[in-house]
């Protein structure tokens, strides 16, 4: 992958992988599509069947790119000594999906349990590749343990296709010192944000209030999500809905076009060396990011420790609270598994049981989807020095409560992201007409969907 | 890839002449030869012929996410020939070829001639220094240049802003030139070594004869040395033609730094890659790759043919 080695490479590379922000410009971060009524379904499992499955000698293969997940897997194996789990890193994000698709096509070599980002669940439902986990032991009361929007990301009607592992509700990180020096208050609405961008730029002609990366569809889609837009939908069968020019989505793009055309925000691609240095050097005084952003930034801009603060995402309506999600992933069970019960239990146990779930949140810094962890003071009460002792997790826990609940994905998100960079990218970089580009992007996606045999609404 | 196929296959398959009159000893030798060649042929068939055949087969089908696989004949090829993304990539690499290759081979030739003439001090050092960039993996070279080109923190930009000059747009409007520079930097030394080795092989009697006739060193270089290494130059030219059309690493990596300058179809090779791995359109990707291979084969052949004609005329 394309990571220019400098500061804390291992952590950064690890985190980049974790959030699917693969540096090849794959804007992999974003939420997911709820599945179709299409995955293979599982018969309800009785407690006897469950006990038998968990006490039989079994080997499971688990594809995941979460660093050090072996810790949680070890806890699982301690709980169930007869189950051996082979952890395989088959690549991050798209690399892994390519390997998985190949294995599924070949009919062998597919894992039992696999890490999938929310927005790619749909693309594996087309081939009926994911097991419906709703009848499995322990899945009956799972819904109540998650925020509604998270559960909607992994389920469709009564079917459940994956167990949430981490999420990325969106908020804002900003340089308190730089904003104060420029006489700017942290904006709470987009109107204030635009005024702040102007004031900040006048005070600091060499830097910007923030950066709008021309390659980051995940962020833009997150803004649309926050504004209540529903640009995508998939019925799980043959019909997709693509509506990028609806009122809410368009409002977001028009807003950014205004800032971009007046040269009030930077337009540098993100997750590049230039951008890392920009964050360290104060070229961008804020970063509109997701819940995984705080830890990521801590590793990237060490020299600015103590100066950063977190706040909620600005709003179009004063007093509003809504936000979107950008990033995060799940663990799903592949339909071809020979050991569905044990595989489902692995996916559930390491993400839901208290000990592994807390470790994922506090040692591996995955932002938790689970209500119990979101309320746990060991997680919420952390006061990192990097953020001047602010309870940053609290800010994002609040954001997690306010993520718009219904958001769906298309079953071909890789194409959505790459065509964003191809079509919206030049309009952003060239400080040109982003709204027209938005229409081109929409028609490009509609054409692609039709060429793939979908009915487009 | 096509040229290596033909050159590698030719010697292996050419039959030994007049086998009938061969003695038992000679026949044993032939058997041994075939036995020795066999492992290569097996690997060659398994790793090259079969995958190529499979790709050709794939290119005749269309697989949709909904609706499955259907036979479409040459439709993918027809589509590709009118696909603006593919054609504009092709034109871009042609432009690259026409500008970059003469510069690179010219630089390589001049350095090779200078080294050969013995007028330079520290010859070995210079030879190594010019060749060294080739030893740097292409990916690393691109990363390095990507840093140097950087619009804020790159050294060129820093110097420019220190002198209050406009920053050179290496990663925007100059992108193709920036890639040319990386490729030239990487491969000039490699081509230089090929030419230099050929120069070393010229019999010195030729120079003595030329000097007797009163030729200057420059004249010797032009009229004796260059014609004598024509086949080596031709080799580097064909390598460069193939290399230009296969341009992939540099744009793929620089895309991260300038995603809105380099789109997913910047070069045909990049396009084929993105079709297969982003759009999951393996069939169309195979057709694009085959068309690209065809263009390379034809162009390499034309280059070779025109050079041979010249040879015959001279």
């Amino acid at each position: 992958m394309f990571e220019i080695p400098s500061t804390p490479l291992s952590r950064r590379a690890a985190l980049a992988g974790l959030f699917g922000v693969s540096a090849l410009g794959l804007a992999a971060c974003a939420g997911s599509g709820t599945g179709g009524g299409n995955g293979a379904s599982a018969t309800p499992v009785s407690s006897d069947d469950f006990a038998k499955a968990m006490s039989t000698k079994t080997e499971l293969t688990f594809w995941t790119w979460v660093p050090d997940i072996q810790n949680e897997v070890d806890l699982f194996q301690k709980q169930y000594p007869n189950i051996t789990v082979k952890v395989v890193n088959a690549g991050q994000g798209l690399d892994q999906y390519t390997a998985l698709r190949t294995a599924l096509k070949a009919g062998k070599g597919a894992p039992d349990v696999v890490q999938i980002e929310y927005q790619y669940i749909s693309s594996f439902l087309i081939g009926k590749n994911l097991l419906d986990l709703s009848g499995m032991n322990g899945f009956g009361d799972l819904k109540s343990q998650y925020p509604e929007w998270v559960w909607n990301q992994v389920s469709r009607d009564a079917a459940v296709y994956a167990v949430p592992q981490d999420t990325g509700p969106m908020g804002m990180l900003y340089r308190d010192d730089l904003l104060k020096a420029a006489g700017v208050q942290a904006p709470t609405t987009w109107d204030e944000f635009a005024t702040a961008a102007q004031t900040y730029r006048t005070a600091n002609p060499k830097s910007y209030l923030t950066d709008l990366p021309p390659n980051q569809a995940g962020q833009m889609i997150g803004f649309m999500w926050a504004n209540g837009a529903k640009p995508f939908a998939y019925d799980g069968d043959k019909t997709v809905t693509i509506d990028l020019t609806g009122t809410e989505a368009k409002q977001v793009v028009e807003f950014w076009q205004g800032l971009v055309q007046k040269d009030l925000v930077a337009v540098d691609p993100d997750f590049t060396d230039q951008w890392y240095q920009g964050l360290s050097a104060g070229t961008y005084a804020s970063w509109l990011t997701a819940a995984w952003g705080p830890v990521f930034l801590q590793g990237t801009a060490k020299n600015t420790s103590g100066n950063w603060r977190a706040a909620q995402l600005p709003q179009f309506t004063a007093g509003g609270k809504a936000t979107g999600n950008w990033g995060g992933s799940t663990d799903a069970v592949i339909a071809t598994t020979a050991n569905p019960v044990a595989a489902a239990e692995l996916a559930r146990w390491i993400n839901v049981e208290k000990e592994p779930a807390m470790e994922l949140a506090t040692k591996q810094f995955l932002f938790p989807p689970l209500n119990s962890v979101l309320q746990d003071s060991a997680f919420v009460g952390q006061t990192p020095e990097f953020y001047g002792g602010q309870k940053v997790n609290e800010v994002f826990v609040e954001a997690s409560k306010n993520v718009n609940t219904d958001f769906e994905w298309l079953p071909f998100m890789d194409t959505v992201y790459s065509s964003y960079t191809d079509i919206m990218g030049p309009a952003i970089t060239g400080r040109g007409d982003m709204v027209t580009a938005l229409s081109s992007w929409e028609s490009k996606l509609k054409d692609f969907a039709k060429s793939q045999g979908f009915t487009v609404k | 890839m096509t040229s290596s196929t033909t050159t590698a296959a030719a010697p292996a398959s050419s039959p030994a002449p007049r086998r009938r009159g061969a003695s038992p000893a000679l026949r044993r030798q032939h058997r041994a030869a075939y036995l020795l060649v066999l492992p290569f042929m097996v690997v060659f068939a398994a790793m090259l012929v079969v995958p190529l055949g499979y790709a050709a087969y794939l290119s005749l089908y269309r697989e949709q996410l909904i609706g499955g696989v259907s036979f479409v004949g040459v439709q993918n090829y027809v589509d590709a020939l009118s696909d603006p993304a593919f054609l504009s990539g092709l034109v871009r690499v042609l432009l690259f070829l026409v500008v970059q290759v003469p510069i690179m081979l010219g630089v390589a030739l001049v350095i090779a001639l200078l080294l050969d003439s013995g007028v330079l001090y520290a010859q070995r050092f210079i030879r190594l220094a010019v060749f060294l960039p080739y030893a740097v993996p292409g990916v690393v070279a691109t990363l390095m240049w990507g840093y140097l080109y950087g619009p804020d923190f790159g050294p060129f930009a820093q110097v420019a802003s220190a002198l209050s000059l406009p920053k050179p747009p290496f990663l925007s409007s100059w992108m193709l030139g920036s890639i040319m520079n990386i490729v030239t930097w990487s491969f000039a030394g490699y081509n230089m070594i090929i030419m230099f080795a050929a120069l070393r092989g010229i019999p010195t009697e030729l120079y003595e004869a030329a000097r007797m006739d009163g030729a200057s060193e420059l004249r010797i270089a032009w009229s004796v040395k260059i014609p004598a290494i024509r086949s080596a130059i031709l080799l580097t030219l064909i390598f460069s033609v193939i290399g230009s059309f296969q341009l992939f690493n540099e744009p793929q990596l620089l895309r991260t730094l300038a995603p809105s300058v380099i789109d997913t179809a910047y070069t045909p090779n990049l396009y084929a890659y993105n079709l297969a791995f982003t759009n999951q359109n393996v069939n169309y990707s195979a057709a694009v790759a085959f068309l690209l291979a065809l263009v390379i084969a034809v162009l390499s052949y034309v280059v070779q043919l025109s050079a041979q004609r010249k040879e015959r005329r001279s």
Side-chain angles (χ1 to χ4, degrees):
Chain A
M1 56 186 270
F2 185 46
E3 282 270 335
I4 297 167
S6 62
T7 36
L9 180 70
S10 58
R11 150 146 293 174
R12 203 172 66 210
L15 282 164
L18 200 56
F19 307 120
V21 190
S22 116
L24 282 170
L26 310 167
C29 283
S32 141
T34 41
N38 217 353
S41 60
T43 40
V45 174
S46 73
S47 54
D48 285 352
D49 291 343
F50 179 77
K52 192 171 160 227
M54 300 316 290
S55 56
T56 312
K57 282 247 179 255
T58 307
E59 191 183 288
L60 296 174
T61 308
F62 181 19
W63 283 12
T64 172
W65 62 84
V66 175
D68 298 328
I69 196 152
Q70 189 68 47
N71 299 344
E72 288 75 32
V73 169
D74 287 344
L75 292 173
F76 176 78
Q77 289 178 331
K78 216 164 93 190
Q79 174 78 16
Y80 299 109
N82 287 311
I83 315 281
T84 319
V85 180
K86 205 172 116 199
V87 175
V88 177
N89 184 338
Q92 297 163 351
L94 286 182
D95 292 341
Q96 192 225 51
Y97 304 141
T98 306
L100 183 58
R101 281 178 190 130
T102 311
L104 288 168
K105 203 167 243 179
K108 63 178 179 192
D112 299 284
V113 183
V114 65
Q115 180 182 6
I116 299 181
E117 289 152 283
Y118 294 96
Q119 70 271 29
Y120 287 98
I121 293 177
S122 288
S123 67
F124 288 100
L125 285 177
I126 289 187
K128 304 182 201 298
N129 298 126
L130 304 183
L131 196 67
D132 175 5
L133 303 171
S134 55
M136 291 291 178
N137 191 66
F139 280 77
D141 62 341
L142 219 48
K143 182 179 177 176
S144 61
Q145 300 185 39
Y146 290 97
E148 188 185 350
W149 71 272
V150 175
W151 191 252
N152 288 348
Q153 291 286 305
V154 297
S155 63
R156 178 181 289 274
D157 303 328
V160 180
Y161 293 110
V163 183
Q165 183 160 61
D166 70 308
T167 60
M170 289 179 80
M172 176 173 69
L173 302 178
Y174 64 94
R175 282 282 295 272
D176 193 41
D177 55 334
L178 295 180
L179 260 57
K180 276 196 180 124
V184 172
Q185 280 211 322
T188 59
T189 66
W190 288 117
D191 278 344
E192 286 175 24
F193 190 88
T195 315
Q198 174 82 65
T199 315
Y200 186 83
R201 184 110 176 94
T202 315
N204 303 281
K206 286 200 162 175
S207 56
Y208 294 92
L209 180 61
T210 198
D211 177 44
L212 183 73
N215 57 329
Q216 196 50 275
Q219 188 192 39
M220 184 61 85
I221 292 172
F223 291 149
M224 292 177 177
W225 185 341
N227 197 31
K230 292 190 178 100
F232 313 126
Y234 173 50
D235 72 345
D237 188 26
K238 287 182 183 169
T239 309
V240 292
T241 308
I242 301 169
D243 176 23
L244 285 156
T245 47
T247 319
E248 293 89 356
K250 208 168 170 179
Q251 185 181 20
V252 170
V253 171
E254 273 167 353
F255 170 77
W256 285 104
Q257 175 176 299
L259 293 184
V260 164
Q261 287 184 342
K262 283 183 232 152
D263 189 26
L264 297 180
V265 292
V267 289
D268 301 327
D270 58 3
F271 301 99
T272 64
D273 207 43
Q274 159 95 7
W275 182 80
Y276 295 130
Q277 295 196 35
L279 282 175
S280 293
T283 313
Y284 327 118
S286 72
W287 180 26
L288 300 161
T289 184
W292 42 262
V295 175
F296 188 89
L297 189 66
Q298 241 170 304
T300 303
K302 270 199 186 126
N303 60 321
T304 56
S305 179
N307 294 326
W308 289 86
R309 297 291 180 275
Q312 301 300 329
L313 199 67
Q315 301 289 320
F316 279 106
T317 321
K321 282 180 164 181
T323 189
N325 180 72
W326 172 16
S329 55
T330 70
D331 288 325
V333 176
I334 295 297
T336 51
T337 178
N339 304 294
V341 176
E345 179 63 1
L346 171 64
R348 188 196 71 84
W349 199 90
I350 61 169
N351 292 310
V352 176
E353 289 300 320
K354 187 166 185 196
E355 197 184 353
M358 272 311 280
E359 287 209 352
L360 285 171
T362 54
K363 291 198 177 145
Q364 274 141 301
F365 305 108
L366 298 184
F367 190 81
L370 210 59
N371 285 333
S372 57
V373 185
L374 290 171
Q375 287 153 6
D376 197 310
S377 58
F379 172 73
V380 185
Q382 289 176 356
T383 52
E385 195 209 321
F386 189 85
Y387 296 93
Q390 187 190 8
K391 288 183 182 172
V392 176
N393 286 341
E394 201 173 67
V395 175
F396 285 94
V397 167
E398 181 64 25
S400 182
K401 289 177 190 158
N402 297 315
V403 175
N404 272 324
T405 50
D406 293 314
F407 196 86
E408 291 188 40
W409 302 99
L410 294 173
F412 43 84
M413 290 309 292
D414 352 24
T415 303
V416 174
Y417 293 145
S418 75
S419 59
Y420 177 86
T421 307
D422 276 359
I423 298 169
M424 294 290 284
I428 296 172
T429 312
R431 301 194 185 276
D433 189 344
M434 290 167 60
V435 176
T436 305
L438 186 69
S439 308
S440 315
W441 185 32
E442 182 187 271
S443 38
K444 168 95 182 178
L445 291 178
K446 284 183 170 168
D447 288 347
F448 179 81
K450 281 177 202 151
S451 77
Q452 289 294 332
F454 290 99
T455 309
V456 181
K457 273 210 298 203
Chain B
M1 73 189 150
T2 41
S3 77
S4 66
T5 315
T6 47
T7 48
S13 58
S14 61
R18 267 187 268 160
R19 202 178 305 166
R20 197 174 298 164
S23 66
L26 205 58
R27 224 175 283 153
R28 257 204 311 281
Q29 264 184 16
H30 283 156
R31 259 204 305 272
Y34 277 110
L35 212 67
L36 287 170
V37 170
L38 191 70
F40 165 76
M41 293 308 285
V42 169
V43 173
F44 176 73
M47 298 298 160
L48 214 99
V49 178
V50 173
L52 270 177
Y54 185 57
Y57 164 81
L58 281 180
S59 71
L60 302 177
Y61 288 81
R62 174 172 297 157
E63 182 174 11
Q64 294 178 306
L65 287 171
I66 300 293
V69 185
S70 52
F71 181 79
V72 293
V74 294
Q75 190 58 45
N76 285 327
Y77 292 91
V78 175
D79 289 351
L81 286 174
S82 59
D83 181 345
F86 174 60
L87 296 177
S88 69
L90 215 51
V91 169
R92 188 174 287 119
V93 288
L94 259 174
L95 179 69
F96 184 90
L97 174 75
V98 172
V99 177
Q100 186 266 340
V101 171
I103 293 175
M104 174 178 68
L105 296 185
V107 168
L109 183 62
V110 167
I111 298 173
L113 286 170
L114 280 174
L115 282 172
D116 185 62
S117 68
V119 299
L120 296 176
Y121 294 105
Q123 281 214 34
R124 275 163 191 274
F125 173 75
I126 293 175
R127 211 158 66 204
L128 188 70
V130 175
F131 183 71
L132 201 64
Y134 179 69
V136 176
V139 171
V140 177
T142 310
L143 286 174
M144 190 192 86
W145 279 102
Y147 164 73
L148 295 175
Y149 290 151
D152 277 345
F153 304 100
F156 293 119
Q158 301 265 15
V159 170
S161 63
L163 300 172
S164 346
L165 293 170
K167 288 172 191 168
F170 288 119
L171 294 176
S172 45
S173 46
W174 293 1
M175 183 57 93
L176 196 62
S178 303
I179 297 177
M180 287 179 188
N181 176 52
I182 298 176
V183 175
T184 307
W185 181 83
S186 297
F187 289 96
Y190 169 77
N191 291 308
M192 180 274 288
I193 290 288
I194 294 178
M195 294 176 190
F196 181 70
L199 283 171
R200 293 271 106 179
I202 301 173
T204 46
E205 293 85 17
L206 284 178
Y207 303 154
E208 283 160 18
R211 281 195 196 99
M212 296 269 231
D213 289 347
S216 67
E217 287 302 314
L218 220 66
R219 183 66 203 247
I220 292 175
W222 184 254
S223 301
V224 180
K225 292 184 177 181
I226 293 180
I229 62 163
R230 180 176 281 152
S231 62
I233 296 176
L234 181 67
L235 185 75
T236 60
L237 182 61
I238 290 178
F239 280 171
S240 306
V241 169
I242 297 170
S244 301
F245 278 100
Q246 294 191 337
L247 206 58
F248 179 79
N249 275 348
E250 291 81 4
Q252 166 79 342
L253 291 175
L254 291 175
R255 179 171 157 76
T256 319
L257 301 180
S260 26
V261 180
I262 297 180
D263 63 16
T264 45
Y266 195 75
T267 70
N269 224 356
L270 197 60
Y271 189 42
Y273 171 85
N274 281 311
L275 281 173
F277 296 107
T278 306
N279 289 0
Q280 293 176 56
N281 202 342
V282 177
N283 307 97
Y284 189 49
S285 171
V288 164
F290 255 87
L291 279 179
L292 180 63
L294 193 74
V295 171
I296 295 175
V298 168
L299 254 163
S300 312
Y301 188 69
V302 167
V303 168
Q304 208 155 2
L305 207 68
S306 65
Q308 272 170 2
R309 266 212 199 119
K310 237 180 245 164
E311 198 113 308
R312 233 174 281 143
R313 239 183 281 138
S314 63

